[in-house]
Amino acid sequence: MVQLTAAADDGSKIEFTVSFSEPQAHYADVEMRISNIRKKEIEVSMPVWAPGSYLVREFSKNVEGFTASTNAGAALSSEKVKKNTWKIKTNGNKTVVVNYKVYAYEISVRTSFIDASHAFLSPTGIFMFVKDRLNEPVRVNITPFSNWSKVSTGLEKIEGTKFSYHAPDFDWLYDSPIEVGNQDIFEFDAAGVKHEVAMVGGGNYDKEKLKLDMAKIVEEETLIFRENPNKRYVFIVHHYQNGGGGLEHLNSTVLGAKRTGYTDAATYTNFLSLVAHEYFHLWNVKRLRPIALGPFDYENENYTTDLWIAEGFTAYYDNLIIQRTGAISEIDYLKILQAEINLIANQRGDKVQAVTEASFDAWIKYYRPNENSSNATISYYNKGALLAAMLDLAIIHKTNANKSLDDVLRNTYQEYYKKKGRGFTSKEFKEALEKEYGENLDEFYNKYVNGTAEVDCAKFLAYAGLELVNRANPKMPSLGVRTRKNIISTVIRGGAAWNGGLNVNDEIIAVNGERVEDINDYIKTKAVGENLMIVLNRDGIIQTLNIKLAASTDKSLQIDIMKKQTEQQKAVFKKWMKM
């Protein structure tokens, strides 16, 4: 671990101490010591969201027992003036000590969780800030509970201390999750970087295998950008009976994993894809980023139309990277891409919401889906990944296999992060794509990025000697619903149920005088155009609707390798797969 000398920490005038007097009740005790005060009043606030997860989560809802005092312990007057802000009268004191407790019992990669076995501290939900002092250095002291003996974090350790850490400013602090407990820790070196892996909650993992496979991912991703910006990186992996998800940070990440999943091939592959995704964010998002994503406003939404690049491109590369490392074959990768294409093609929201709009509306839609979301929205992850794949193929084809999307990301990383020290605008990223492609991409953007036209995947796949075939049965009848035990969970836009008046939460009791156990199985025995007399329960009232079955419009798209390929198509495929 990189260590700072004590002298390097002398500039910290804001210091936190976190302890755990009642971990079994899921509480952290936080002391915030603020020095060098020159005002009669100061305000301290809790962030409302966690960067990387674009939803206002109102972390201050978990704060209890806020008090303020002098350095000598005398009480100071304080009052809550906003949902996440407290005002303190300093009475001329240059040092103020704030104490509060945080309740932490939400399992996710973006929220804090504390129990008798360990504490995971997601910083934006633990540490308050002084309104005008976000740029100041911070010291964090951790006092582990009872028999807890380890701390894992990307923060730099202060020399001569056991569990004290330094952050150059609050942006760095808020980007450095902390794991406290008895986690199983192992290390590996890759791309000149020391990597710590903190495994929490047990699991049937093979450390030596993970070291090799994770190192391959690190090396392969570093090859794209030709440098790794860290000297040390920390993986915090939380294990559950069933788990998943991840959240990126500047020099660390938090991952969720299935405790017993490491010996199942498919589950293990998914875990490696998650590792590849979050590690790729080390460059894309944390450094190469839309201009709105940093420095952050921690009290309000930070809007951008470019999450389809920030998250979507990363979602494209995660599976591509594990293919490049040999964890999956080229055919396996094509099956993953095929599933992505079908997901987008069969989601009605793709014809309603542009991927740029989906990016902008993440704050109100993506993390708050409802029963109509599939009809009205599209995921900037999935759609962004699909567009990245098509752009990659287009660039490789247009440049006769000399360039790829790798070049775009590497060059924009150098231009905006390294040289200009800022994020890119939407216009600038489009120009970067066009520079490698060799001509403008207005049509692509108008149709697929800012518009809702169906992506012509067949055209782009053909560049690599692949064809896209729809193998759906055009005579397949469809009611146009998704159900759970015959209770409707989704009514699909434009389908028979949509037009006929069926609602979400309707319980289907009988059809054509017959008791029906599974409506979708029942429909398979019918024909397009047949009338169904459906008896349903809607909020305790029995109703009957007549609905005519429509033909299913769902696609079943399959990627096939062309029997005859040109030399250029072979070259594009080889470049794409890095063969």
Side-chain angles (χ1 to χ4, degrees), residues 340-477:
E340 194 85 64
I341 291 170
N342 277 289
L343 179 67
I344 300 297
N346 291 316
Q347 185 157 338
R348 303 307 187 270
D350 184 44
K351 309 301 184 295
V352 176
Q353 186 184 50
V355 71
T356 47
E357 182 185 354
S359 300
F360 191 86
D361 281 347
W363 298 91
I364 57 173
K365 293 188 177 182
Y366 182 77
Y367 289 95
R368 289 177 174 146
N370 61 25
E371 67 282 351
N372 195 49
S373 291
S374 63
N375 290 318
T377 67
I378 196 69
S379 164
Y380 49 80
Y381 282 88
N382 301 128
K383 185 65 174 289
L386 182 62
L387 294 180
M390 300 305 111
L391 284 165
D392 201 3
L393 287 167
I395 293 168
I396 297 171
H397 167 75
K398 186 73 163 46
T399 62
N400 295 314
N402 287 312
K403 294 183 178 181
S404 71
L405 195 59
D406 290 12
D407 297 280
V408 176
L409 294 183
R410 179 170 53 251
N411 292 337
T412 49
Y413 171 80
Q414 287 292 328
E415 179 68 19
Y416 294 102
Y417 172 67
K418 297 283 288 186
K419 292 181 182 178
K420 295 184 177 177
R422 64 169 175 85
F424 56 80
T425 66
S426 302
K427 181 175 180 289
E428 288 168 339
F429 194 84
K430 178 174 178 286
E431 289 170 349
L433 286 167
E434 292 169 336
K435 181 178 179 181
E436 304 306 327
Y437 183 65
E439 59 183 72
N440 78 62
L441 287 164
D442 291 352
E443 181 182 7
F444 187 94
Y445 263 72
N446 290 338
K447 291 172 68 175
Y448 307 139
V449 178
N450 300 315
T452 57
E454 183 173 355
V455 180
D456 188 357
C457 294
K459 168 188 170 183
F460 297 101
L461 289 170
Y463 295 152
L466 304 169
E467 58 183 352
L468 192 64
V469 182
N470 185 10
R471 302 198 181 281
N473 180 359
K475 296 183 179 180
M476 179 69 70

Side-chain angles (χ1 to χ4, degrees), residues 109 186 188 197-200 202 204-207 209-211 213-215 217 221 235-240 243-246 253-279 318-319 322 327-328:
V109 295
F186 65 88
F188 66 90
V197 184
M199 306 294 265
V200 183
N204 62 349
Y205 51 87
D206 180 333
K207 293 182 188 179
K209 181 173 176 55
L210 278 171
K211 288 178 186 179
D213 290 340
M214 294 171 79
I217 290 169
E221 293 187 352
F235 293 93
I236 299 172
V237 187
H238 292 141
H239 293 95
Y240 309 102
T253 187
V254 185
L255 310 176
K258 184 176 181 178
R259 188 176 293 116
T260 59
Y262 292 91
T263 54
D264 177 78
T267 305
Y268 185 63
T269 297
N270 287 337
F271 176 75
L272 292 181
S273 178
L274 178 62
V275 170
H277 183 101
E278 300 307 335
Y279 201 85
D318 53 25
N319 290 310
I322 62 171
I328 60 173

